[in-house]
Amino acid sequence: MQNNIIYTTMSRTPIIAANWKMNIGPAEARAFLAAFKEEKLCECKGVEKVVVPPFVTIPAVVETLNGCSCLGVGAQDVSDHDNGAFTGEVSTAMLTELGCRYVVLGHSERRQYHGETNAYINKKIHKALSAGLIPIYCIGETLEQREGGQLEQVLRTQVTDGLAGLTPEQVAGLVIAYEPVWAIGTGKTASAADAQSAHAFIRSVVAEIFGEDAASKVRIQYGGSVKPANAAELMSQPDIDGALVGGAALKADSFAAIIRAAAV
Ligand code: PGA
């Protein structure tokens, strides 16, 4: 990880997103949002806050927010097709009709359990962008790949193939989530230095392919066992622009604590 340019974080607003995965149905979401409101974070400037519920929970979240723009809403996946005979799939138009602004794509659990490839995720990224959704594109290496010295190659391929065919402006406007697979749901977080080094590398690859302007604007979140206790140190790294949070975002108070850590 040498020769990585560290770009200033000045122009990038950190984004903290709660990836609820297959947790929190509509009733629980209403309770979560009531508790979140008590945290009085709506006025917390300088950090973008997003919840990413399961599809069936999205309407309850949007309804409960009742027009409040404090929290953005995202989905955990989307189809690469517009409509038709694709049982079980959800389209970009359905998500925008519900009020979604973001969509998480290429999460390692989708790669691992549903065989999603960089090329397939790339199609979804194009589809999402054409519908005006902001993709949160997840990348990251397995422990085996890291220990086998393949970290940079894996990240380079995920960036190159996953973002293929996008314009520099499109790349500048999306979010990349660096989530080392070995850190997801395991309680093992990458050290702040290791995470920073991976983020700087990812940004340098974006610069090579899409130019320095896109690289300096694209936000790169860290994900993998982020919690209130480690958030501040991770967020203070120059190339870390927020977090994609799983387990620690299932409770309003710990999600709020992570948001506060990003706001300082
Ligand atoms: P975790 O999940 O915070 O529970 O490790 C993060 C993610 O998978 O996005």
Side-chain angles (χ1 to χ4, degrees):
M1 299 260 177
Q2 282 156 8
N3 304 322
N4 291 332
I5 305 156
I6 294 181
Y7 297 88
T8 172
T9 49
M10 294 272 288
S11 57
R12 298 190 299 268
T13 304
I15 171 167
I16 305 291
N19 176 12
W20 285 348
K21 309 192 180 183
M22 199 172 73
N23 299 291
I24 307 193
E28 214 184 319
R30 287 187 197 99
F32 177 101
L33 292 174
F36 187 75
K37 201 171 169 194
E38 295 302 308
E39 299 287 338
K40 306 211 180 322
L41 278 172
C42 269
E43 296 308 311
C44 180
K45 303 282 180 228
V47 50
E48 207 168 316
K49 305 168 270 293
V50 179
V51 278
V52 185
F55 290 131
V56 297
T57 303
I58 293 170
V61 169
V62 172
E63 214 177 275
T64 311
L65 286 172
N66 193 22
C68 163
S69 58
C70 169
L71 270 178
V73 182
Q76 297 176 17
D77 190 24
V78 79
S79 173
D80 62 325
H81 294 278
D82 285 329
N83 60 282
F86 301 101
T87 303
E89 296 287 279
V90 167
S91 71
T92 51
M94 294 170 186
L95 295 184
T96 52
E97 184 180 341
L98 287 184
C100 285
R101 184 158 162 69
Y102 305 85
V103 60
V104 171
L105 293 172
H107 191 280
S108 69
E109 287 148 17
R110 302 242 22 120
R111 293 175 187 263
Q112 191 181 342
Y113 306 135
H114 301 273
E116 294 198 6
T117 61
N118 292 324
Y120 181 48
I121 300 158
N122 176 252
K123 285 192 194 173
K124 296 186 183 201
I125 291 176
H126 279 274
K127 187 59 76 184
L129 285 167
S130 65
L133 289 163
I134 299 174
I136 298 179
Y137 173 44
C138 303
I139 61 173
E141 80 290 358
T142 63
L143 189 58
E144 202 182 8
Q145 289 166 335
R146 175 173 275 258
E147 288 178 345
Q150 294 167 271
L151 172 61
E152 292 196 354
Q153 192 45 52
V154 169
L155 296 179
R156 178 180 290 282
T157 303
Q158 288 172 331
V159 171
T160 308
D161 296 355
L163 302 182
L166 299 184
T167 65
E169 291 71 27
Q170 286 175 318
V171 173
L174 55 73
V175 178
I176 295 174
Y178 169 62
E179 301 203 299
V181 179
W182 48 271
I184 296 177
T186 58
K188 287 185 209 149
T189 320
S191 70
D194 280 351
Q196 163 57 27
S197 157
H199 280 232
F201 176 73
I202 293 163
R203 205 178 295 285
S204 74
V205 175
V206 171
E208 268 173 45
I209 306 172
F210 299 100
E212 302 217 347
D213 188 54
S216 69
K217 288 183 179 151
V218 65
R219 289 179 294 175
I220 308 177
Q221 296 177 306
Y222 171 80
S225 299
V226 174
K227 41 189 180 270
N230 60 25
E233 196 191 358
L234 286 160
M235 296 309 118
S236 69
Q237 302 302 310
D239 284 291
I240 300 185
D241 310 312
L244 183 57
V245 190
L250 296 176
K251 292 272 177 286
D253 56 350
S254 88
F255 181 46
I258 294 168
I259 291 167
R260 285 194 193 91
V264 261

